[in-house]
């Protein structure tokens, strides 16, 4: 019976330390996020795992020879016991009984033996779960870092936009005039634009997109200090009037005479009156006539109406000007703050076909020089009243054409 107490191969190998993991469940250490000794002793994870797995594979076949040996011994003992106790049964039955005892011993050892494969799978699963948890924690930490970086970047961009949009300080001489064009509306504009782009009628989003493309196109053209659009742009004229801070100098030809009876003209005159009264911006308008026949009560009433709005008005009859003043442009133009020229071009039928904004210094200076020369040669309102009366009486004969 001494063979039943034979030493277990895996139990004998266990104290060697590195041959393989311990078989007892109590000796297993469940790997986890806080299991630092394993990484400290073996910084290279995959080689250590392979080294630990190697002995297990080599020791796996060892239990079966031991089990067969135990079964054989028990079978021989059973055969001997059967031969002594029942000699009349014969060798065949004794051999069958011994075989059954041996098979039973092997089966019992197999059933009672610990499942080393299952334990290894459990260890590997635990290790995989620990690595997955560490990866998830690392991903969450990176996500938090990325979110913090995005928040800081957003704040930096917001501060940069506010700094760039802030109005630059004006020179000490002359004293700075009170600014009327503010940027407080920029956040509201962005908010309204975002609200329009929210889910809604597709045509509204398309309209906003097209309008933004048009405006951005104009802003891009302004980098060259020149921008134009087809037709007569009243919105530019009104916006520039509200933005003016120093002066407004305008000419008006017979082409736009009908304009003064329109609704845009009413808004235009109202904006100029606000610029004069509220912001102290002087407004001068010079009417250019192609013939003395246009000196009538209708023109006089128009000039008186604008003088009531505190607009300085003068009238010049082109054929009566000195010869050196006849050379030069006679198109409608408005110069704002002596820096931007708003001009309207006509075709051969005297139809307004194009509006241009020009901020080139040389061009604007030429326009201001032309305006000053014509302004000095023009008639004031009082002179105009006398001239109209003389024209009606037939005592003033200059333009016979």
């Amino acid at each position: 019976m001494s063979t039943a107490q034979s030493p277990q191969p895996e139990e004998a190998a266990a104290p060697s330390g590195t041959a393989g993991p311990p078989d007892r469940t109590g000796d297993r250490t469940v790997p986890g996020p806080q299991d630092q000794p394993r990484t400290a002793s073996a910084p290279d994870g995959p080689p250590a795992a392979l080294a630990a797995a190697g002995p297990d594979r080599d020791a796996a076949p060892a239990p079966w020879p031991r089990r067969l040996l135990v079964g054989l011994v028990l079978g021989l003992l059973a055969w001997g016991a059967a031969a002594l106790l029942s000699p009349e049964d014969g060798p065949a039955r004794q051999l069958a009984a011994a075989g059954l005892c041996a098979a039973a011993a092997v089966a019992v050892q197999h059933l009672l033996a610990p499942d080393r494969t299952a334990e290894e799978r459990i260890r590997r699963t635990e290790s995989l779960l620990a690595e997955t948890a560490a990866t998830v924690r690392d991903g969450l930490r990176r996500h938090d870092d990325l979110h913090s970086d995005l928040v800081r970047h957003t704040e930096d961009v917001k501060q940069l936009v506010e700094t760039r949009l802030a109005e630059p300080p004006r020179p000490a001489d002359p004293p700075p005039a009170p600014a009327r064009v503010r940027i407080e509306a920029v956040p509201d504009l962005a908010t309204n634009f975002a609200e329009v782009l929210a889910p809604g009628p597709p045509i509204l989003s398309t309209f906003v997109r097209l309008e933004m493309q048009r405006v951005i196109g104009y802003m891009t053209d302004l980098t060259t200090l020149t921008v134009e659009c087809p037709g007569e742009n009243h919105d530019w004229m009104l916006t520039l009037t509200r933005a003016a801070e120093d002066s407004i100098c305008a000419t008006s030809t017979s082409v736009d005479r009908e304009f003064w009876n329109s609704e845009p003209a009413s808004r235009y005159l109202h904006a100029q009156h606000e610029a004069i009264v509220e912001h102290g911006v002087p407004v001068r308008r010079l009417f250019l006539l192609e013939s003395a026949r246009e000196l009538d009560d209708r023109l006089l009433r128009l000039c008186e109406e604008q003088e009531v709005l505190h607009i300085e008005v003068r009238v010049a009859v082109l054929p009566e000007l000195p010869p050196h003043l006849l050379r030069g442009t006679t198109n409608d133009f408005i110069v704002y703050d002596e820096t931007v020229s708003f001009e309207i071009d006509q075709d051969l039928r005297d139809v307004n076909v194009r509006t241009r904004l020009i901020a080139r210094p040389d061009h604007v200076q030429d326009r201001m020089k032309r305006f000053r020369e014509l302004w000095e040669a023009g008639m004031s309102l009082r002179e105009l009243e006398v001239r109209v009366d003389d024209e009606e009486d037939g005592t003033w004969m200059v333009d016979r054409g």
Side-chain angles (χ1 to χ4, degrees):
M1 298 298 177
S2 60
T3 55
Q5 303 298 327
S6 60
Q8 303 288 339
E10 64 277 15
E11 293 177 358
S16 61
T18 59
D23 293 333
R24 292 183 301 276
T25 307
D27 295 336
R28 288 202 313 271
T29 302
V30 179
Q34 306 299 329
D35 190 10
Q36 298 299 332
R38 179 171 60 88
T39 57
S41 60
D44 297 332
L50 293 176
D56 290 342
R57 289 194 298 267
D58 296 338
W64 283 105
R66 176 179 57 79
R67 293 169 187 171
L68 294 176
L69 181 60
V70 172
L72 178 61
V73 172
L74 291 178
L76 293 176
L77 291 177
W79 192 2
L84 292 176
L85 297 177
S86 302
E88 68 279 0
D89 289 339
R93 297 187 64 180
Q94 295 172 2
L95 182 59
L100 289 175
C101 290
V106 174
V108 169
Q109 291 182 86
H110 177 71
L111 293 176
L112 295 179
D115 190 356
R116 299 176 59 85
T117 304
E119 293 178 358
E120 182 64 22
R121 289 179 180 175
I122 292 174
R123 283 194 295 270
R124 291 180 180 177
T125 302
E126 292 174 349
S127 177
L128 180 60
L129 290 176
E131 294 176 359
T132 304
T135 303
V136 171
R137 284 196 305 273
D138 184 65
L140 292 176
R141 183 172 61 254
R142 291 182 180 180
H143 176 269
D144 294 339
D145 295 342
L146 179 61
H147 178 72
S148 301
D149 293 340
L150 288 176
V151 171
R152 288 195 301 270
H153 179 69
T154 302
E155 293 296 332
D156 294 342
V157 171
K158 180 179 178 181
Q159 184 177 3
L160 178 62
V161 171
E162 292 177 352
T163 303
R164 290 298 180 87
L165 290 179
E167 186 175 4
R170 295 183 177 276
D173 187 22
R180 302 195 311 279
V181 181
R182 303 293 184 182
I183 63 170
E184 285 81 359
V186 173
D188 296 336
L189 176 62
T191 302
N192 295 336
F193 181 66
E195 291 176 354
V196 171
L197 291 183
I203 188 174
L204 186 59
S205 299
T206 303
F207 170 75
V208 171
R209 177 175 56 81
L210 294 177
E211 284 296 302
M212 291 298 294
Q213 290 178 351
R214 180 178 61 84
V215 173
I216 292 174
Y218 290 150
M219 298 303 100
T220 303
D221 293 341
L222 276 178
T223 58
T224 63
L225 301 181
T226 301
V227 62
E228 64 179 40
C229 72
E232 188 173 358
N233 195 317
H234 298 146
D235 293 334
W236 288 0
M237 185 170 57
L238 291 173
T239 303
L240 287 171
T241 301
R242 297 187 180 100
E245 298 181 354
D246 299 328
S247 64
I248 299 177
C249 302
T251 63
S252 178
T253 63
S254 58
V255 175
D256 64 350
R257 194 61 48 82
E258 298 298 328
F259 166 76
W260 299 110
N261 297 324
S262 64
E263 187 274 336
S266 177
R267 290 187 286 125
Y268 178 44
L269 292 176
H270 179 71
Q272 288 190 335
H273 181 65
E274 286 184 346
I276 296 171
V277 175
E278 298 181 7
H279 309 298
V281 178
V283 179
R284 295 184 293 174
R285 175 161 291 108
L286 177 65
F287 289 96
L288 300 178
L289 307 182
E290 295 181 353
S291 171
R293 295 190 182 93
E294 299 180 26
L295 295 169
D296 52 16
D297 291 336
R298 180 183 176 186
L299 175 63
L300 183 60
R301 287 193 302 269
L302 176 60
C303 295
E304 291 174 347
E305 176 187 357
Q306 298 198 13
E307 189 179 49
V308 171
L309 299 176
H310 305 290
I311 299 174
E312 300 180 55
V313 179
R314 287 195 178 186
V315 178
V317 181
L318 294 178
E320 299 176 5
L321 294 177
H324 70 280
L325 294 181
L326 295 177
R327 294 184 295 272
T329 181
T330 57
N331 290 342
D332 291 336
F333 63 85
I334 308 172
V335 178
Y336 296 91
D337 294 345
E338 299 187 11
T339 56
V340 179
S341 177
F342 174 91
E343 304 180 7
I344 299 177
D345 297 334
Q346 295 89 24
D347 59 9
L348 297 177
R349 299 170 298 170
D350 291 336
V351 176
N352 296 331
V353 295
R354 181 171 55 252
T355 302
R356 295 189 297 168
L357 285 183
I358 304 175
R360 297 195 307 272
D362 56 341
H363 183 88
V364 176
Q365 290 174 5
D366 290 342
R367 286 290 184 264
M368 284 304 303
K369 179 181 178 182
R370 177 66 172 170
F371 179 83
R372 293 189 184 99
E373 293 173 348
L374 294 176
W375 181 265
E376 293 297 329
M379 296 179 290
S380 65
L381 182 59
R382 301 296 170 258
E383 295 173 337
L384 177 62
E385 292 176 350
V386 175
R387 178 68 184 274
V388 170
D389 292 338
D390 292 341
E391 288 289 339
E392 291 179 351
D393 296 339
T395 58
W396 189 281
M397 298 298 295
V398 174
D399 184 9
R400 294 183 174 86

